[in-house]
Structures are given as C-alpha cells and as structure tokens.
Amino acid sequence: MNPSDRPEPRHLLTVGLEDYYQVGAFNRLIQRGQWYRFETRIGHSTARTLELLDELGVRATFFVLGWVADQLPEVVRSVAERGHEIASKGYYHRSIRQMTPAEFREDLARAREALQRASGQKVLGYRVADQWFGPDDLWALDVLAAEGYEYDSSVGPILRRFAAEPWRRFAHLHQFGDRTLWEFPISAMDLFGFMIPVAGGNWFRQFPPALMKRAVDRWHRTYSAPFVMYFHTWELDPDQPRITAASWLQHVRHYRNLDRVPDLLRHYLSRYRFSPVAEYLGLSTGAARAGALAERDTAPAAGGPAALSPPEVSGAGEAVPVTIVVPCYNEELIVPYLANTLESVARALAGRYRLHLVLVDDASRDGTWQALQRHFGGRPDCTLIRQPRNRGVALAILEGIRRAPTEVVCSIDCDCTYDPHELARMIPLLAEGVDLVTASPYHPSGTVRNVPRWRLALSRAASALYRLVLGARLHTWTACFRVYRRSAMLGRTLRSSGYLGVPELAGQLVLEGRTVVEYPATLEVRVLGHSKMKVARTILGHLRLLTRFAWLRLRRPARRRRPPG
C-alpha cells in the first residue's frame, strides 16, 4: 500500500538498539576490537525500553547491529517476541563513508544473516549506524535496492544538504532499474531555509522541550508524510558508565538530559499514533528463511567476547607458567572491563602459557575490593591482595611479584591502556640474560592514540631525560606494562613513591648493568575512570629521581678507580 494514500495521520517509531560504548560520539576513542572489554548493559536498557513501549501500547522498528545479534541473540529475540520489527544497522557501528560499495554489500549480508538468525524475522529495512546520508552517499540506496531491501531510513536532510531537492526531506520512493526502495528520512523542520532535525534522540535532549513539542505538533498538523521519530536504548540507562576520556562536547552530546528521556517519550507516544515501518508499508516480516532458523537452533551460542578476541596462540609442549600482576587503586568502575579483558587474554594465550593472576588492591577507598572479589574471588588461578595502606603503583607491583608463584611475572595497568594481548609477543623477549622487557610507545615503531597532548609531552620529556642521565638507549621509562624476571626483583626497595617507582625500577636495573629490552607498543587513552597521577608532584619527583640517578652514575666510575683494599 502506498503511504500517501493513508488518510489517517500515522507516524513511525524507530529505536537504535546498541550499547553505550558503541555510539558515534565515542568512535574515535573506542575501537571495535575493544568492545568485548566493556561491561554490557544492553540487556538492561533494552528491557527498560520494552517495558516503556508495553506500558504505552506502542510497537516500533528496532535498528540493530549485527554484532549485537551475534553476541547477544537472546536480547534481539526478546525484542522480536514482544511484537517489534527487527531491521539492520549494519554489522559494526560504521559510516557509509568508511566502506566501498563492495564492503557495504558484504556488511549488509553479514548483518542481515546475524539478525535473521537471532530474531527469526525477515530483515526488510536499513539505517546507517553513523553519520546520516548526504548527497554524495545516495549510491548506497542503489545497493540497498539491489540487495532486496524494502526501505531505508538513513537520509539526513540537515541544514542545506538537499536544498536543490527539497522533496528528499519527506518519505519518497527511490528507483533503481526495476527495483524500488522506500526512503524515510529523519524528520526536520524548515527554519529560514535551513533544515533543523526534530526527529528525537539527541535533538530531543538538547533543544528546549517546549520548542520540540511545537515542532512535532506542527509536523503532525501540516504534513501528510509520516513523522520519523527515533531514540536509542542506551538513552534509557542514565546510570551507564561514563567514558571519561570523552571531550566536553562529547559528554554533552551523549549524557545531557538522559533522565528526561522516559517522560519525553511518554508525551509523544501517548499523543500521536506510531507504528513500525514494515507495518506502515503493509509488509510482513514473516519468518526468516528456514536455513537461518535451523542454524540458530544448532549453532553454538556466541560466547560473549570470544568473537572479537584475538586468536589463540598455539604452541607445542607444556605451557609455561606466567603470573600477571595488576595494581588497583580506586578502580571499582573498571574492574568489569579488566575482567573481560583478562578472560580474553587467558583464552588467547592458553596454548602457550598457563596464567596466574595476582590482583593488588592498594588500599582503595571505593568498592574496588568488593568488585575484585565479585569478579575474581574463589578462582584457583587468582590471588587477591589487599594492602593495609596505599603505597603506590610500583610498590603494589613489587608486592605482586613477591607473591607470584612463577619466575616470569608480567605487570599491566588496571585500565588496560596497553593491550594485554601483546604479552604473547613480549614474554618470549625475556630470554636468558634479560631481566626486564618494557613496553615502549615512544619507540620509533610504537604508537600513541588519543592521549592528551600535555600528558604525552610530560611523559616523553621524562623518558628523554632518563635516557640522557642513565645513558641507556630506552625510549620509554614510565610504562607499567612490563615482563619481569622475578628473581631479579626480589628484595628490592624503592625510595620513590607512586608512579615514580616505575622508572626507578628500570633505572636500578640499568645501573646494575642488567639487560632491559624494549617492545614497541601502542598506548591508548584511558576510557573509564580517572588517572590518579598528581601532575606537579610527579614533575618534581621525576627531577629528584633524575638528580639521584645522575649522582649514582657519577659515583660508579669513581668507585671503580679506587684502589682495592
């Protein structure tokens, strides 16, 4: 049935089903390969969304990532079983501008298969996950039509994007050869010749509610085309973890007025009549092809993060015992992130290394100890240590090394700013005669991503000074991501507190003539929680430690010249 033939005003309700860390606002901060690390809240936020829609007696089209369908098929199935339509948002959270036509086709096919397998429905519609379609992106409509999709809702008539084609701001039929595709652009209002989105989501949260309500009511009274409204499941989860590395603008875009969303939705959904897109077009989602359903029933369930974890490292012979020490201080928020990451590391290294974990709570003042017990307590491969007072990260690492049951001991940051999977390449570098392998983002082959410039400049400058003072060709001295020979570390004492003990440990080994090896690594910005480093205190501490190292190095040749006896 042609939508323009319908005399009764009826609008379209669409929902983006995705988790808080998969959104466009954080695309530059969080890589797809890191998704498995985050505590998933999509089940909670989807349940709240379904309860609200049930309360109001409204059904919607849910645009879902194929990755979500593969990882959490039960969530997608619960949406379909409540009478809502499942449509595609692609497999990953990507813009059309990141794909060639061939890659776009592949992404469509992969997402559709995953969604149909999880939901049991035919997937008829598509919406781009990131960045609305502009005039240069309309080739994607041809691909969608060719691939048998019935409709799309990705065109964003924002500002003057389609000023030469004003009809594109309303529902219209796209023709490609003998195929057709309905396009339902996000709704926008004309303000002095500029199109301002009023479709929902971020716009509902940022603009004054009274202004938005007038705009929607005006659309309802003025146009016969349906109003296309959308929101996201994560917008019904105001208690979601905060991505602290995000900029002020990203914080405003993602978090502002989340607490208002339920009441805003109740206003619109009770005042106007909404339906899913397929129902509006008179299409049946029916049942997906029998093959896909059979695969759903016989295929093994997606085991959480396994699908995105690095492949297992194969190795011949008996697995080498290795300890991973993790110092923790006020890290309650990040413990689930750490647990997911270490679970993946254990799987990846299973063929070569047998891991034991030592987690040291350095007298945290929040719920870190309880979180560690919840996620790691009772495991035979894990030792939990609670220090009676805060002693700093380096001394916490030394305590973990002392309690380690193996000769090879690794230390990682609790926030996993270095990827612990790199231990597969670092551990073999601890060859005979080597006492320390240290990660080095400042090595010519190392990289840094999204770290604030001021902090990067401070760390680079400190490492350069240590290299100069100690005369060792190490590019990075401040990384906690290391592999130690336990016997070389036992009995050591540190004069420096906090982070300063980290370069002091490396400096001690260098002054003793021991071998330290660098591994070029990638340093990422911390995405959850806050750094505990005190900048001014750390700068002064580095200068004191450098002065002490300079004095020790000057005295060393003088002692060698002194006659024996």
Side-chain angles (χ1 to χ4, degrees):
M1 182 182 295
N2 191 316
S4 61
D5 295 338
R6 297 178 183 271
E8 183 180 1
R10 187 158 55 137
H11 307 297
L12 304 178
L13 179 62
T14 63
V15 182
L17 196 158
E18 59 193 26
D19 226 330
Y20 63 96
Y21 52 84
Q22 297 170 327
V23 302
F26 304 141
N27 270 355
R28 289 187 60 232
L29 294 173
I30 300 171
Q31 309 295 312
R32 290 197 304 273
Q34 297 172 321
W35 283 359
Y36 73 90
R37 298 183 181 185
F38 289 84
E39 175 190 12
T40 181
R41 295 180 63 88
I42 202 167
H44 168 73
S45 60
T46 301
R48 293 193 66 179
T49 301
L50 294 175
E51 289 169 5
L52 180 63
L53 296 180
D54 281 351
E55 171 194 326
L56 298 167
V58 178
R59 289 183 297 122
T61 294
F62 280 69
F63 288 104
V64 187
L65 296 175
W67 184 90
V68 171
D70 272 344
Q71 298 298 312
L72 298 163
E74 68 280 1
V75 173
V76 179
R77 196 172 304 132
S78 69
V79 174
E81 289 173 351
R82 300 278 271 270
H84 303 282
E85 179 192 1
I86 300 297
S88 175
K89 209 173 184 185
Y91 195 82
Y92 294 121
H93 202 284
R94 290 195 285 179
S95 164
I96 192 68
R97 292 151 210 168
Q98 296 174 295
M99 294 180 276
T100 65
E103 290 170 335
F104 183 44
R105 285 189 177 89
E106 182 181 349
D107 187 77
L108 287 174
R110 186 180 182 189
R112 177 182 255 174
E113 181 65 24
L115 293 167
Q116 291 186 163
R117 183 168 55 243
S119 69
Q121 289 186 7
K122 294 178 185 176
V123 171
L124 306 175
Y126 176 83
R127 170 174 287 165
V128 70
D130 189 29
Q131 299 183 318
W132 303 106
F133 288 175
D136 294 336
D137 306 315
L138 297 182
W139 59 265
L141 301 183
D142 294 343
V143 175
L144 287 164
E147 294 299 313
Y149 281 80
E150 299 287 348
Y151 69 88
D152 172 72
S153 184
S154 303
V155 169
I158 301 171
L159 302 179
R160 295 189 57 79
R161 265 187 181 178
F162 292 98
E165 299 176 302
W167 50 273
R168 286 200 182 273
R169 61 180 286 223
F170 302 109
H172 57 274
L173 199 60
H174 177 81
Q175 191 82 30
F176 177 66
D178 60 349
R179 294 180 178 270
T180 58
L181 176 84
W182 275 104
E183 175 59 42
F184 294 97
I186 61 163
S187 297
M189 295 299 296
D190 188 342
L191 183 64
F192 305 115
F194 291 87
M195 294 298 116
I196 308 299
V198 292
N202 188 41
W203 311 103
F204 278 180
R205 291 187 288 110
Q206 304 301 339
F207 291 147
L211 179 64
M212 298 300 285
K213 289 174 182 178
R214 285 199 297 271
V216 175
D217 190 60
R218 180 185 173 194
W219 183 292
H220 177 73
R221 291 184 288 102
T222 305
Y223 303 118
S224 59
F227 179 79
V228 181
M229 179 174 163
Y230 75 92
F231 67 95
H232 306 90
T233 53
W234 56 261
E235 290 181 285
L236 289 171
D237 183 17
D239 299 323
Q240 62 191 262
R242 272 9 186 204
I243 307 299
T244 51
S247 67
W248 173 83
L249 187 59
Q250 289 167 328
H251 269 265
V252 169
R253 176 181 170 186
H254 187 81
Y255 298 114
R256 185 170 182 264
N257 291 329
L258 286 179
D259 56 326
R260 291 185 182 178
V261 173
D263 287 340
L264 289 171
L265 293 176
R266 285 188 178 93
H267 168 83
Y268 294 109
L269 299 183
S270 60
R271 186 178 182 88
Y272 308 106
R273 185 183 177 193
F274 288 91
S275 72
V277 181
E279 180 182 307
Y280 181 86
L281 291 171
L283 301 172
S284 171
T285 56
R289 61 182 178 84
L293 291 177
E295 290 169 14
R296 185 191 75 185
D297 294 334
T298 59
L308 277 188
S309 300
E312 290 191 355
V313 178
S314 60
E318 186 177 353
V320 176
V322 171
T323 298
I324 298 179
V325 174
V326 189
C328 308
Y329 177 65
N330 290 346
E331 300 285 14
E332 178 183 8
L333 177 65
I334 213 166
V335 169
Y337 182 90
L338 172 68
N340 289 338
T341 305
L342 290 177
E343 180 185 350
S344 174
V345 170
R347 285 197 305 271
L349 304 186
R352 186 180 298 173
Y353 302 110
R354 186 172 69 254
L355 299 185
H356 185 87
L357 305 178
V358 177
L359 296 111
V360 184
D361 179 10
D362 196 21
S364 297
R365 292 174 294 178
D366 62 357
T368 297
W369 179 246
Q370 290 74 20
L372 290 174
Q373 289 181 311
R374 190 162 55 250
H375 287 275
F376 297 98
R379 289 174 48 171
D381 63 344
C382 184
T383 300
L384 298 183
I385 302 171
R386 192 178 193 185
Q387 306 236 82
R389 60 186 179 85
N390 181 260
R391 302 175 64 202
V393 62
L395 287 172
I397 291 173
L398 279 181
E399 177 63 19
I401 292 173
R402 188 182 70 81
R403 299 281 291 272
T406 64
E407 174 67 355
V408 179
V409 184
C410 312
S411 65
I412 71 171
D413 299 273
C414 188
D415 54 18
C416 300
T417 48
Y418 296 93
D419 185 357
H421 292 93
E422 292 298 312
L423 291 175
R425 298 177 179 87
M426 291 177 66
I427 294 172
L429 298 179
L430 196 75
E432 185 177 352
V434 177
D435 292 308
L436 174 65
V437 179
T438 183
S440 180
Y442 311 141
H443 187 280
S445 299
T447 55
V448 178
R449 290 189 189 137
N450 299 315
V451 176
R453 291 183 180 180
W454 66 267
R455 183 159 185 173
L456 185 59
L458 173 62
S459 184
R460 280 185 181 276
S463 289
L465 288 172
Y466 284 111
R467 184 166 65 249
L468 177 67
V469 168
L470 290 166
R473 297 180 62 183
L474 296 180
H475 297 83
T476 305
W477 294 77
T478 54
C480 292
F481 189 43
R482 292 174 171 176
V483 182
Y484 296 92
R485 189 173 299 283
R486 180 174 181 268
S487 56
M489 305 307 297
L490 293 179
R492 291 190 178 275
T493 59
L494 296 175
R495 293 180 59 182
S496 303
S497 60
Y499 292 95
L500 295 168
V502 175
E504 183 178 356
L505 280 174
Q508 286 181 4
L509 294 174
V510 168
L511 289 174
E512 293 168 9
R514 295 176 181 265
T515 302
V516 179
V517 173
E518 279 190 306
Y519 172 78
T522 298
L523 173 63
E524 302 266 4
V525 68
R526 180 187 178 111
V527 295
L528 294 170
H530 297 277
S531 171
K532 317 303 184 303
M533 185 178 72
K534 307 298 183 185
V535 178
R537 185 186 305 173
T538 301
I539 292 173
L540 292 174
H542 278 308
L543 294 175
R544 285 195 295 267
L545 180 57
L546 284 161
T547 302
R548 190 188 325 148
F549 277 153
W551 175 244
L552 289 172
R553 191 180 176 204
L554 286 171
R555 291 180 61 200
R556 187 175 57 176
R559 285 199 303 268
R560 283 202 295 266
R561 288 193 299 268
R562 189 177 303 157

